[in-house]
Amino acid sequence: MDFWTERVWRTITQLILMLFSLCVDIKTETCHSPLVSSLSPSSFKSSSQLSNSHGPGFAKLNRREGAGGWSPLNSDKYQWLEVDLGGRTQITSVATQGRYGSSDWQTAYQLMFSDTGHNWKQYRWEGRIGAFPGNSNADSVVQHNLQHPVIARFVRIIPLDWNPNGRIGLRLEAYGCPYNSDTVSFDGDSSLFFKLNPRPRQTPTDIIDLTFKTTRNSGILLHAEGQNELSFTLELQKGQLLLLLRKGRSSRWRLVSLGSLLDDQHWHYVAVEQHSSHLNLTVDKNTKWVEIPPWFTQWNYDQITVGADQNLGSQNSNRNFHGCLENLVYNGQNLIDLAKQKEQCVTVMGNVIFSCSEPIFVAVTFTGPQSSLWLPGATDQHSAGTSVGLQFRTWDKEGLLLTFDLLKREGTVWLHLREAKVYLQIHKDGRAPIELQAGSALNDGQWHSVDLKSQQEHLTITVDGTEVASASPTYPIIPAGQLFFGGCPPERNSHVCRNPSSAFQGCMRLLTVKDELVDLIKVQQRLMGDYSDLQIDTCGIIDRCSPNHCEHGGSCTQSWNTFHCNCSRTGYSGATCHSSIHEQSCEAYKHRGNTSGYYYIDVDGSGPIKPLLIFCNMTEDKTWTVIQHNNTELTKIQPSIERSQHLTHFEYAVDEEQLMAIISQSEYCEQELAYHCRKSCLLNSPEGAPLSWWVGGPGAGQRQTYWGGALPNSQQCACSLQENCLDPKHLCNCDADCTAWANDSGLLTHKESLPVRSLVLGDVQRPGSESYYKVGPLRCYGDKSIWNAAFFDKETSYLHFPTFHGELSADISLLFKTTSSSGVLLENLGIGDFIRLELSSSTEVLFSFDVGNGPLEVSVKAGVPLNDNRWHRIQAERNVREALLRLDELPAATQEAPADGHIHLQLYSQLFVGGTASRQKGFRGCMRSLQLNGITLDLEERAKITPGVQAGCPGHCSTYDALCQNQGRCVERTKSFSCDCSSSAFTGAFCDKDVSITFEPDTSLSYNFKENLVNELNRSSSSPSSPVMSNMNLRAENISLSFRTSQSPALFLYVGSHRREYLALLVNKQEQLEVRYRLESSNKEEILRSKVRNLADRQLHSVSISRLADSVTIQVDQHSKENFNLTSGVEFSDIRSLVLGRVPNSQELDPELAQLGSLGFTGCLSAVLFNSISPLKAALLQPSMSSVVVRGPLIQSSCGSASANPYAAENTHHQSDQSGSVRGGPPLVNALRSDSALIGGLIAVVIFGIASALGILTRFLYRRKGTCQNQGLKKTEDNNGLQFASCAENQKEYFI
């Protein structure tokens, strides 16, 4: 889905949500009645009261009775005010005041609710934030409309903070309306069976919804069956809701899960909506979209079992549901009401109660490292043993569960979690320590039981009733005094309570001492024991991995306070696996200095499309993305008796979504389509139906009747456009129906019709007809996003785009260059939220935003000025865990988000680019490749219609000139840049590909200098005053090359003149480099000998020689430079030629050099550069130049590289010039695909034999002393077929 289509759908969705919100607002208006003001004083309770006149019954909004409100005896975080609404009520809003006429008010509070007055649940904004802002004075009313209405009987407010100059003071009101429901309870042995006949009405959308609560983490809620043996089941497993779709009892099923911690004895809403092709599973506020399997086509359920699956039988009763259900509705029909009315279609099994009967469990929450609970231990010191039990649930792997001292404080017992196992450690003076362990993976958030029992000399710990570890201590295990749970009190003496591990964070319940249940309400009232930093009568555990904020398949793990994402093997990084670690195109890889090879590209960055491994061909100036399919080779068509046509489908190596994204993002795409024929027509004529066609384009594609090289919808081939078809009456060569071989070939370049998905060839059955086809790989170049740029020429200019939607994750990437010291790059505002990216100073970039927790800023400071008019890259990301900012290659700066803060970024204004809506200083300079959440914003198109902003931005070489290596020169383009390698000995996109030739003793390469080339030397010489004379005289030269050889002595470079002057490079008998000069017609030869030895060791050595007048510098490899001075002269006069390898006509050389020159050179020469002349490049890339003469075999190789390019063999040369020529032989090109493996094998043997014979013959011919120019460079033409002939000739056919 492209950017604008997504925007349209997003707008439609927003309109729907607005209409829905309007409906909800109307409903809310009808459910906004005061609930507290009419209650009697007996409906109010509190933790304590300052006096009778400060009692909870006076805590009604705007009332002045008593002391004007409620105030507790002590102002601390353990105080609370509770209201009994008299029945389950829908609560939509809460309002608070301080105590009238006082300085007492709370500034923040928690809202709790309950059905029973126990097991309180905290209301959380966005599922995370537990604190409500309170009052700022005693009289003003602060009201909060709840995001999601609460249904409860009891409401409790816990002040968290209050006026520092006063006390806690509170008056309150709750708003809502009565709530009615039909409820049923199941005890694990009961269920309801519904036989729905007639069935509920048929609707386009079938819906089953219900609400449930339970303390068990497993059990079947509902099982439905219908026709065609289709069924679905809703079942709890480990606190998650599972939806199982099944056909019969076979293995065909589909399972999805949603929700977590659903066994918390609070109501949870469940809905299943089935549409034509998918269903929506909703648990509370989270919805999962589920694709329906093809075999699950109809709903039509007529049997529904609630609380069990009747097909399981009594032997699986442990899978039955224990708990309450309410408002079970199927397509508008209330099934619980049917059961209450005892309708005949309902069968009641077991003890079903039409009310909610629920057990009372009082839990305690250990919220942090300071949390602890201590209880009195055994009072009978003569007891023979003790027992302590508890249940706990946590996400942490470590934490103290229990500790106590032994009698007379002679030892200590610790029961704690370590590595998510229960460990019992007992240390007693003078005795060996006792250590037991039991259980595993106990940090899964489920309730687990632990029992410690000691009786005489037998000690056991039992985990979850099954895993038992025991020991036999020789001393009694009896507490000396208090039992400490969860941690040690901070104010206690360390000798009384010691904790060798971390404090426990989680929930505990069902604490027992000496087999007696501890009354935790008494503990809360401080009538027994004591506590610190505890929440009593509630379990505040949160599943931070549900919903899973880890994107792109990242796995989520959590602790009590936070969650972590494992992004390994996802291709993404960051706290939530949001940002791709791969570039978005081959073009992007190239401009980071990479070479051809296979790369993972992520076409939409942080978007939903997965990364794909693809080949990037960077050997040319253009960077080609090559996408293979299952048959890219020339394939012979084997006629079939059963079919009159030949049909071929092509499967590509990437997914459909990836394929379409690559085509859309690329500037240009092409695909070769070729048909080789003899007596086989292709399209026939444009007037009739075509004999052949191909299918291409998005999705299933569309039928196309034009051929490669022609225009879309033309029903033509390329030869018709070039007016060179064999028969002017036909528009394709093959339609001439020749007995000679012909072909119609060309490129398909219309992106909307690519890729080719299938090919249908019609004229393949006639006697005597033969044909081959080829559909090449899809090749694309150009990344439309990477060079998309705009120039902001004023600080007040800007571009505006639709609102940026990055509620949970937002990433921004861009490149900028400027000469200004500051300016806002990007800004988007909401009512209170905002996001902004700016250059805050000449050396600092600032990323800031606010999601409701207050502004958060992340900055990166550079060590150099950023206003240097060079491109700089910024990557910023904000997610629910952290904010991150990266500048160029500097380390990323991060800032943690609040653990329980707001997480949704809600923006409403337009997005400002290059400017700001908040009247801050705008950006002046260039910006390009701006992407938000992987979507590229088209700066150029918007700039074309915006005053003060120009489309495009030149000046790339100031940043990327370093990519042009080996004396390559950066050349500016309107978009992008290129490297001019004309003055370099290297080739390639970045002048980084060496040119190497393997020399044999007979090989000689001569480069003859011309006047115009000497003038070129004049311009490129390094001397400030030109060392090159107009009469072809040199006063300076720069030479660089690499070589490898085992020959010594060996002459490998010789420069001669018409005056018998020369320059020679050689390896002497001692395997040292020698540079020999004879200048100014002197008879004296000067030998400059390097000290570096062992140069004939077959290793690659680099040589650099620089002469200016009489000063010569030589450097070999990485050794120190060696300086020499000439004494015979400084002018190299009338230069004639440069020779590599064997020197012909060596009689004019000195006798020693003549002997070396006649021996030739055996080895490798690479990257030879004489001033700006590269003779190897001239010989290989421009063999037709008259200045190059080659004698003997000249073999291009990669011998000059430290390691050969592994992708060199994979760089395909696309023949885009085959527009429809005619050939006289069958097209046996490269590897010929055939349906017969035998034929393929025979052809391979024949080709191998011919290749071997040609190799021997070529070797023989090269041994002859010919002097043909360039004979070693000319490539052998394809001999697999004969020359082309017209249809009128009686052409013989030859096969090999």
Side-chain angles (χ1 to χ4, degrees), residues 346-401:
V346 183
T347 302
V348 178
M349 291 173 282
N351 184 25
V352 175
I353 303 173
F354 292 101
S355 63
C356 187
S357 175
E358 52 186 304
I360 301 298
F361 294 113
V362 178
V364 292
T365 304
F366 295 79
T367 58
Q370 303 301 318
S371 298
S372 61
L373 166 67
W374 53 101
L375 298 174
T379 58
D380 183 7
Q381 297 188 1
H382 301 288
S383 173
T386 188
S387 65
V388 181
L390 58 90
Q391 290 186 1
F392 72 90
R393 70 190 316 174
T394 185
W395 300 115
D396 291 347
K397 292 184 177 181
E398 296 187 2
L400 179 68
L401 297 175

Side-chain angles (χ1 to χ4, degrees), residues 1203-1278:
S1203 60
N1205 181 3
Y1207 303 106
E1210 302 184 52
N1211 294 334
T1212 57
H1213 299 282
H1214 189 73
Q1215 298 181 355
S1216 58
D1217 58 343
Q1218 294 183 358
S1219 60
S1221 56
V1222 186
R1223 305 182 61 168
L1228 299 177
V1229 183
N1230 296 328
L1232 177 65
R1233 289 179 62 101
S1234 173
D1235 295 336
S1236 170
L1238 178 60
I1239 294 176
L1242 292 174
I1243 291 175
V1245 172
V1246 172
I1247 291 176
F1248 177 79
I1250 293 175
S1252 301
L1254 288 175
I1256 296 172
L1257 179 61
T1258 302
R1259 177 73 173 175
F1260 173 77
L1261 291 176
Y1262 276 137
R1263 287 293 184 180
R1264 298 182 63 185
K1265 295 183 178 181
T1267 59
C1268 259
Q1269 294 184 3
N1270 307 324
Q1271 74 176 44
L1273 299 175
K1274 294 183 180 292
K1275 295 183 179 180
T1276 304
E1277 297 293 333
D1278 186 3

Side-chain angles (χ1 to χ4, degrees), residues 620-803:
E620 305 176 26
D621 186 31
K622 296 181 176 63
T623 303
W624 291 95
T625 301
V626 184
I627 305 172
Q628 300 288 343
H629 57 75
N630 57 331
N631 181 12
T632 58
E633 298 176 357
L634 192 64
T635 303
K636 182 176 182 179
I637 298 176
Q638 300 293 339
S640 173
I641 301 176
E642 294 81 9
R643 297 177 297 175
S644 60
Q645 296 175 324
H646 182 84
L647 173 63
T648 302
H649 292 283
F650 302 101
E651 299 294 334
Y652 288 83
V654 298
D655 295 338
E656 173 70 15
E657 200 174 23
Q658 297 168 334
L659 188 59
M660 290 298 101
I662 291 173
I663 294 174
S664 174
Q665 182 175 287
S666 301
E667 294 181 0
Y668 170 87
C669 291
E670 67 180 28
Q671 197 164 9
E672 182 185 6
L673 180 60
Y675 188 62
H676 299 259
C677 56
R678 186 175 67 175
K679 295 292 293 181
S680 179
C681 295
L682 184 56
L683 300 179
N684 202 0
S685 66
E687 292 80 11
L691 295 171
S692 306
W693 64 87
W694 54 277
V695 176
Q702 293 184 343
R703 177 171 164 170
Q704 309 290 338
T705 57
Y706 70 98
W707 211 248
L711 299 177
N713 303 318
S714 64
Q715 202 168 321
Q716 297 178 11
C717 297
C719 66
S720 65
L721 295 181
Q722 300 175 0
E723 298 182 353
N724 61 356
C725 292
L726 290 175
D727 187 345
K729 297 179 182 179
H730 295 281
L731 303 179
C732 296
N733 287 318
C734 289
D735 289 341
D737 207 17
C738 296
T739 57
W741 282 99
N743 80 71
D744 287 292
S745 304
L747 297 177
L748 303 171
T749 60
H750 190 60
K751 285 185 11 174
E752 289 73 11
S753 301
L754 296 176
V756 178
R757 298 187 179 276
S758 59
L759 184 63
V760 179
L761 302 171
D763 189 18
V764 295
Q765 293 288 357
R766 284 190 294 152
S769 67
E770 291 185 73
S771 57
Y772 299 78
Y773 69 85
K774 179 180 180 181
V775 175
L778 178 68
R779 292 165 28 102
C780 299
Y781 73 76
D783 183 345
K784 291 194 296 186
S785 65
I786 196 171
W787 302 109
N788 189 296
F791 173 66
F792 302 84
D793 58 4
K794 298 179 181 178
E795 294 177 356
T796 56
S797 59
Y798 61 85
L799 298 176
H800 59 83
F801 292 88
T803 306

Side-chain angles (χ1 to χ4, degrees), residues 1119-1161:
H1119 297 282
S1120 300
K1121 293 182 179 180
E1122 302 173 77
N1123 298 313
F1124 302 87
N1125 289 101
L1126 301 177
T1127 59
S1128 61
V1130 296
E1131 187 170 301
F1132 193 178
S1133 306
D1134 203 9
I1135 61 172
R1136 180 181 73 246
S1137 63
L1138 180 151
V1139 181
L1140 300 176
R1142 185 180 181 188
V1143 181
N1145 303 320
S1146 58
Q1147 60 271 14
E1148 65 182 39
L1149 275 67
D1150 291 341
E1152 183 182 359
L1153 283 181
Q1155 182 180 3
L1156 290 177
S1158 64
L1159 292 176
F1161 174 71

Side-chain angles (χ1 to χ4, degrees), residues 5 19 22 28 31 39 52 127 312 404 514 516 537 566 657 730 734 738 790 896 969 1004 1074 1153 1194:
T5 304
L19 292 173
L22 180 61
T28 303
C31 188
L39 296 176
N52 289 335
L312 294 177
F404 57 85
K514 296 290 287 184
E516 292 186 5
D537 209 2
N566 183 357
E657 200 174 23
H730 295 281
C734 289
C738 296
E896 288 287 333
R969 183 174 61 88
S1004 173
E1074 286 187 4
L1153 283 181
L1194 192 68

